[in-house]
Amino acid sequence: MNHWYTQPAMSTTAKPFVLMVGGTGHIGRGVTKALLEEGKFRVGLLVRPNSVNKPIVQELKAAGAELRISDITEAPEKIEAFLQGVDVLISMVLVFVDQKPLFLAARKVGVGRVVPSDFGPYAPHGVMFMQDIKFDVRDYIRELGLSYTFIEVGWWPQALFPFPHATPEGFFVSKTYVGDRQKKVLYTAVYTISAFVASIIADPRTLNQTVITSDGEANVDEIWATAKKISGEDFSDFTRVPDEEIFARMKSDNVAAKGLAEYWNTLSIRGDNTLANAVAAGSLDARKLYQDIPVVSLEQLAKEFYANPPVFD
């Protein structure tokens, strides 16, 4: 008897089967829910044995997700086993997780399309070590001859806005800003990402392409003006971090500090993360492909942020 999968709570029909790896994380759970709600796919969720009873896993199972119980760190034959019957494989694991065994197994069993774990801002080669890891995975997928779609989403809205003065400072909470405040930053709401992914993976136009999603672009002056309007707080006392300090942090032996500094460099000093730059590099503009997906305004995102600012322990 096989124990590596469980049947969903709902009956399914012969629709394309999408397997989510990392489908319960911050963005992953939204994408999983969107795929289930779309009704065009059968949706599977790769789950570690010790995570089966987590509330989010049981919620997604009750909504119709099939649980495949295993891990991408398993032996190759076990990875191949849980990939049986998969038409589309979406990986949303952390950047430091080795995805190559997963995609090698996907080629061996004949997965139709793979989507590796990108889902971040546009940046060119050589600017961010974490982005270069993603580029290496992309190259590996091409070398394997797999059909793919690479999805970039810009910066996450919860990292756009200045935190309220009452929020304690910490590694992810700084009462400062980086750059000249004029560099545009492309962003996409998490629920907009979910809607785009459901359309992108069913679209033959996106096969073997990079696609970038967006809800808009804004610079620090525009973002902070919106923040002041919605929160009622004046953030003019927040100070600029000198560029030289960011460059020094980029040389740090601390991986987290180095990675965060590289993000600020590409976003706020270099200004890489724009629609124009991504399209010039060959990405398809998801907004042109799927004009029916609603645009979430910067003001709406600010309302959501200040109604419940993120908490980092």
Side-chain angles (χ1 to χ4, degrees):
M1 180 178 178
N2 290 328
H3 294 279
W4 55 269
Y5 73 92
T6 64
Q7 292 297 328
M10 300 168 58
S11 62
T12 58
T13 57
K15 300 172 184 177
F17 186 82
V18 181
L19 181 65
M20 295 291 300
V21 178
T24 62
H26 181 63
I27 296 180
R29 66 182 63 187
V31 172
T32 303
K33 289 177 181 178
L35 294 175
L36 289 166
E37 291 167 2
E38 184 77 9
K40 297 178 181 178
F41 312 98
R42 292 174 295 134
V43 181
L45 193 64
L46 185 68
V47 181
R48 296 187 184 95
N50 61 358
S51 298
V52 170
N53 293 320
K54 288 184 176 180
I56 182 60
V57 174
Q58 290 302 309
E59 177 188 340
L60 294 171
K61 180 183 177 184
E66 174 186 303
L67 304 188
R68 296 204 168 183
I69 303 168
S70 192
D71 194 289
I72 66 171
T73 61
E74 292 279 11
E77 61 272 13
K78 291 188 177 181
I79 299 177
E80 291 169 24
F82 70 67
L83 289 176
Q84 293 295 326
V86 173
D87 297 297
V88 181
L89 170 63
I90 302 178
S91 174
M92 306 193 81
V93 299
L94 296 175
V95 67
F96 298 113
V97 175
D98 185 7
Q99 299 176 81
K100 290 183 178 180
L102 179 67
F103 294 125
L104 177 59
R107 183 182 67 80
K108 289 183 177 179
V109 303
V111 172
R113 183 192 305 220
V114 300
V115 181
S117 187
D118 280 298
F119 300 96
Y122 165 76
H125 285 273
V127 174
M128 296 173 55
F129 81 93
M130 286 190 283
Q131 184 69 10
D132 287 345
I133 292 172
K134 296 177 182 181
F135 283 137
D136 181 59
V137 172
R138 293 185 189 185
D139 289 342
Y140 183 70
I141 288 170
R142 293 188 184 101
E143 289 169 10
L144 290 173
L146 281 164
S147 296
Y148 63 83
T149 303
F150 305 141
I151 302 176
E152 298 173 339
V153 301
W155 199 222
W156 297 354
Q158 63 268 35
L160 280 177
F161 300 101
F163 279 86
H165 287 78
T167 304
E169 289 198 61
F171 183 79
F172 292 107
V173 181
S174 176
K175 308 299 175 64
T176 60
Y177 65 91
V178 176
D180 62 8
R181 301 172 65 102
Q182 301 308 305
K183 299 294 189 299
K184 294 283 189 179
V185 175
L186 180 146
Y187 56 87
T188 313
V190 172
Y191 43 91
T192 306
I193 294 170
S194 302
F196 272 124
V197 172
S199 296
I200 288 169
I201 65 168
D203 189 345
R205 296 174 297 176
T206 63
L207 200 61
N208 298 328
Q209 299 287 338
T210 301
V211 184
I212 187 158
T213 70
S214 70
D215 274 316
E217 294 181 345
N219 62 33
V220 170
D221 279 347
E222 294 164 338
I223 294 165
W224 286 30
T226 303
K228 181 177 180 180
K229 176 182 177 182
I230 299 304
S231 71
E233 295 191 36
D234 183 354
F235 300 101
S236 61
D237 57 323
F238 287 19
T239 57
R240 177 176 179 172
V241 180
D243 293 357
E244 293 73 19
E245 185 172 335
I246 297 297
F247 299 149
R249 294 179 191 174
M250 289 167 58
K251 299 176 183 177
S252 174
D253 293 329
N254 183 302
V255 173
K258 174 184 174 69
L260 187 59
E262 288 186 342
Y263 267 115
W264 289 127
N265 176 51
T266 186
L267 293 166
S268 300
I269 297 176
R270 290 174 51 93
D272 293 316
N273 178 48
T274 67
L275 181 62
N277 286 342
V279 170
S283 296
L284 301 179
D285 179 358
R287 280 285 165 204
K288 289 186 176 179
L289 296 176
Y290 316 109
Q291 298 181 23
D292 59 325
I293 294 178
V295 176
V296 182
S297 70
L298 188 64
E299 187 167 317
Q300 176 59 34
L301 291 171
K303 289 178 180 177
E304 294 171 7
F305 178 87
Y306 290 108
N308 187 27
V311 175
F312 299 98
D313 295 327

